[in-house]
Amino acid sequence: MKKNLGPAYVAPITVWLCVFFVIPISIIVYYSFLTKGFNGGVVHKFSLDAFRALYNPTIFKITFNTFWVACVSTAVMVALAVPAAYYMARSRHKNFFMLLVIIPFWTNFLIRIYAWMAVLGNNGVVNHALLSMGLIDRHIQFLYNTNAVILVAVYTYLPFAILPLYSTIEKFDFSLVEAARDLGATKLAATLRVLVPNIRGGITTAVLFTFIPAFGNYAIPQIIGGSSSYMLGNVIARELTVTRNWPLASSISLVITALTTLGVLIFMRFNRSASEEARERAQDNAPMSAMPQVSAQSTGTGASE
Amino acid sequence: MKGSQVTVKGVEKYFGGFHALKNVSLGINKGEFYSLLGPSGCGKTTLLRIIAGFEDPSAGAVFLDDRDVIPIAANKRPVNTVFQTYALFPHLSVFENVAFPLRLKKLPNAAVKEKVGEFLELVKLPKEGGKLPSQLSGGQKQRVAIARALINEPSVLLLDEPLSALDAKLRQHMLIELDAIHDKIGITFIYVTHDQQEALSVSDRVAVMNEGEVVQVGTPSEIYESPSCPFVAHFIGETNYLGGEVAEVLDGKHARVDFPGIGALYVYQDKPLSVGDGVKVTVRPEKIRISSDKPEGQAGRMNVLEGTVDELIYSGFQSKFFVRVSASATFRIFRQHVKYFMDEKAINWKDKVYIWWNDNDGYVVEAEKNP
């Protein structure tokens, strides 16, 4: 008998997760229940002040804004990524398109955000072009609002939606769409009734991969957004560095973690129930096969030269 | 081709530089079980996909009940397809798969239930409606695909190698059922296959295709007994294929032909032959008789040859003999076993035997005029 080496195999990742995930999260949970230090930092004395401070209209508004930005950018990303991934999967130049999707990762995330300022800023390329063509009299304020944050978030996280969708659509059996068309479905009906339900897994992954980073967004609203597009990530940064209320920063972090986890759970449950429903219903009324078992013997009559 | 339900007229198809269909014209009658038979890559599936509306021809037209269907999209054509890979929707139950076309038409639930029940009954799967396709056997999936394709009541059913994924026994079984369904609903079936046994056993007519061309159209017995070209002779069944020279034209329907290494044989022919023409002759192995004793008292013009059994393959219901008649000529002979222990087993490997067949059983496939 072989020894059970399972624990040994998972030891590296267990250690990794403990050091870089469980322990930091525990520290955050611990800090959120402490008293704020006078000059920043914490006093090791139990307090619920950090959670009481959450009950505040400004925090509610920012939470709602964060949620809104995350939802809209996720929806836009999935809506863009499905056709893009579909086209890539059916193209003869798959690898080329894959390269195009990956190329932006070669440049630093922050530099790409600043690049958007050069494009959309008041003295940016777009305004400059519009002004010199005489289409506008004075520059348009593109940046420092929620739409700009959504735009740049979509730009930044789109590959995370395209890649899982691409790998799902590539495995999709396109004869199913042909079958649907053959049976009378329009192109739209074939897409909605056959393609979408069968690439559900890819859509789920795309939503999770984009919603989670979009919800925890910090750099994009910090650089591109204005005061109206403040997100929870920015509040945490402020409490940590400017206001120096570490317990409050911790409790807001926990709010993000909790809301994200909750959102993911609800989404996955909703998703699973739809596909499992069909399977369970199928198992309930499935009597033994009516088909007699036929052995796979060849009669050898298929004689051909 | 007036009066045909499906008329294919001068259809050409190019895929890039590849010429997949070369001036294909066919007329398929209403209610016919029509097979497109040919090796893989011969263009039969492409032709079917053009009729279904999944491909546009590069040139030519397809008429359905005298209506040009090329401008009509696949979802609007009164044809339905049974796909080679079944193409059942994996996320839908068997019931919903079959109901799919009805749901698109937004039929009321009660009507859907009744009609799906009727068609599941037709394919003998009345109790499997609640299962998912992944829970079905290959044969059951095939039945669901047939029910789903028929529920729209198309005027033509297209079947693209529907049985190729099933094992041999099940294939036989499904073929008989398919034939029964065809008899019951009476619509036109266009059946694509590379399996000549399938095509011969159920078709009213067969179009044999090779390299993008239709090489022969005929009833199964026509294409088997009087192949129009060497390709058909070889592709349909097994045969003895001999090349010789006409020595004497007998009565308009027969000829005596000299075969190098074999001698003179009487053959049936329906072409204008003259002495000296080069001919290719096919003699089906099952038409040749074999015995240890020289046949005597046979009426008519009989071909009798003497040879040695080179190889003997026993396969239960029949034996295949390979009989060498000269250094350069070997005949294959199939003999059905009727009374094995009294008669057939007497012939063994290396035995001296006589083989003989009637003059009508050799057929001239091809003739080349002597210049």
Side-chain angles (χ1 to χ4, degrees), chain A residues 176 178-179 181-186 193-194 197-198 282 285-287 289-291 294-295 297 301 303-305, chain B residues 49 54 75 80-81 83 87-91 101 104 127-128 130-131 140 143 148 152 169-170 196-197 234 238:
Chain A
L176 296 180
E178 256 176 19
R181 297 276 286 142
D182 185 69
L183 294 167
T186 59
R193 283 168 179 263
V194 175
N198 282 297
N285 46 17
S289 161
M291 193 65 192
V294 182
S295 66
Q297 290 163 349
T301 49
S304 73
E305 231 186 325
Chain B
R49 290 173 60 81
F54 300 137
N75 58 326
N80 283 118
T81 309
F83 291 84
L88 297 181
F89 305 128
H91 62 295
L104 288 172
K127 294 198 188 86
E128 319 292 329
K131 286 192 184 176
Q140 289 173 320
R143 287 155 196 265
R148 189 180 67 174
N152 251 347
K169 271 243 170 103
L170 194 52
Q196 35 106 6
Q197 287 288 337
H234 281 103
E238 286 186 59

Side-chain angles (χ1 to χ4, degrees), chain A residues 53-305:
Chain A
L54 290 178
Y55 193 76
N56 162 330
T58 316
I59 297 281
F60 286 163
K61 192 173 157 275
I62 292 171
T63 306
F64 178 78
N65 186 51
T66 308
F67 198 72
W68 171 251
V69 168
C71 284
V72 172
S73 39
T74 301
V76 172
M77 276 184 266
V78 173
L80 290 176
V82 171
Y86 183 93
Y87 184 79
M88 282 170 67
R90 301 228 72 182
S91 163
R92 278 188 297 153
H93 309 288
K94 290 175 183 178
N95 292 335
F96 173 70
F97 285 119
M98 189 65 108
L99 187 71
L100 290 188
V101 171
I102 291 169
I103 278 177
F105 289 116
W106 296 352
T107 311
N108 181 281
F109 172 56
L110 287 174
I111 291 172
R112 283 184 286 138
I113 299 173
Y114 279 110
W116 276 102
M117 296 180 75
V119 173
L120 293 180
N122 293 350
N123 295 314
V125 179
V126 175
N127 269 317
H128 194 78
L130 291 174
L131 279 169
S132 64
M133 281 190 287
L135 291 172
I136 49 173
D137 300 331
R138 52 188 303 269
H139 66 78
I140 301 173
Q141 179 71 277
F142 289 117
L143 297 178
Y144 313 119
N145 56 44
T146 307
N147 289 340
V149 172
I150 291 174
L151 173 73
V152 177
V154 166
Y155 159 77
T156 309
Y157 301 124
L158 193 57
F160 297 116
I162 290 179
L163 294 177
L165 277 166
Y166 168 79
S167 74
T168 314
I169 294 175
E170 209 205 358
K171 283 186 226 109
F172 177 72
D173 176 8
F174 284 95
S175 68
L176 296 180
V177 171
E178 256 176 19
R181 297 276 286 142
D182 185 69
L183 294 167
T186 59
K187 277 181 182 157
L188 180 69
T191 306
L192 293 181
R193 283 168 179 263
V194 175
L195 177 71
V196 169
N198 282 297
I199 58 164
R200 215 194 174 95
I203 295 175
T204 309
T205 313
V207 167
L208 296 183
F209 277 18
T210 52
F211 182 81
I212 295 170
F215 197 82
N217 212 336
Y218 158 70
I220 296 170
Q222 189 72 27
I223 299 168
I224 297 286
S227 55
S228 65
S229 50
Y230 230 51
M231 291 175 72
L232 285 176
N234 306 101
V235 181
I236 296 171
R238 189 190 64 196
E239 295 302 330
L240 207 59
T241 57
V242 183
T243 327
R244 298 189 70 78
N245 186 344
W246 286 19
L248 182 57
S250 302
S251 66
I252 296 170
S253 299
L254 290 181
V255 168
I256 291 187
T257 310
L259 283 177
T260 313
T261 311
L262 194 71
V264 168
L265 285 179
I266 290 170
F267 181 72
M268 283 173 65
R269 164 52 53 95
F270 166 75
N271 224 323
R272 197 183 309 128
S273 61
S275 58
E276 267 182 2
E277 203 179 295
R279 198 162 303 128
E280 274 163 16
R281 194 184 55 222
Q283 272 158 3
D284 284 347
N285 46 17
M288 287 305 285
S289 161
M291 193 65 192
Q293 285 296 307
V294 182
S295 66
Q297 290 163 349
S298 168
T299 52
T301 49
S304 73
E305 231 186 325

Side-chain angles (χ1 to χ4, degrees), chain B residues 277-332:
Chain B
D277 291 351
V279 291
K280 297 274 198 260
V281 171
T282 166
V283 187
R284 295 290 183 188
E286 73 279 5
K287 304 245 167 73
I288 306 178
R289 320 257 328 243
I290 181 169
S291 65
S292 320
D293 305 318
K294 188 168 180 147
E296 278 173 51
Q298 299 286 346
R301 282 186 292 256
M302 189 63 75
N303 299 302
V304 183
L305 296 172
E306 199 179 331
T308 326
V309 177
D310 249 12
E311 189 71 73
L312 167 55
I313 299 166
Y314 172 75
S315 55
F317 73 107
Q318 70 168 13
S319 288
K320 298 184 183 189
F321 299 90
F322 290 78
V323 175
R324 179 171 296 281
V325 297
S326 74
S328 62
T330 303
F331 280 82
R332 60 180 70 193

Side-chain angles (χ1 to χ4, degrees), chain B residues 120-151:
Chain B
L120 283 177
E121 193 79 48
L122 177 75
V123 296
K124 300 184 180 163
L125 288 175
K127 294 198 188 86
E128 319 292 329
K131 286 192 184 176
L132 285 179
S134 56
Q135 296 169 309
L136 300 181
S137 69
Q140 289 173 320
K141 283 182 197 167
Q142 191 56 75
R143 287 155 196 265
V144 176
I146 292 168
R148 189 180 67 174
L150 286 174
I151 202 159

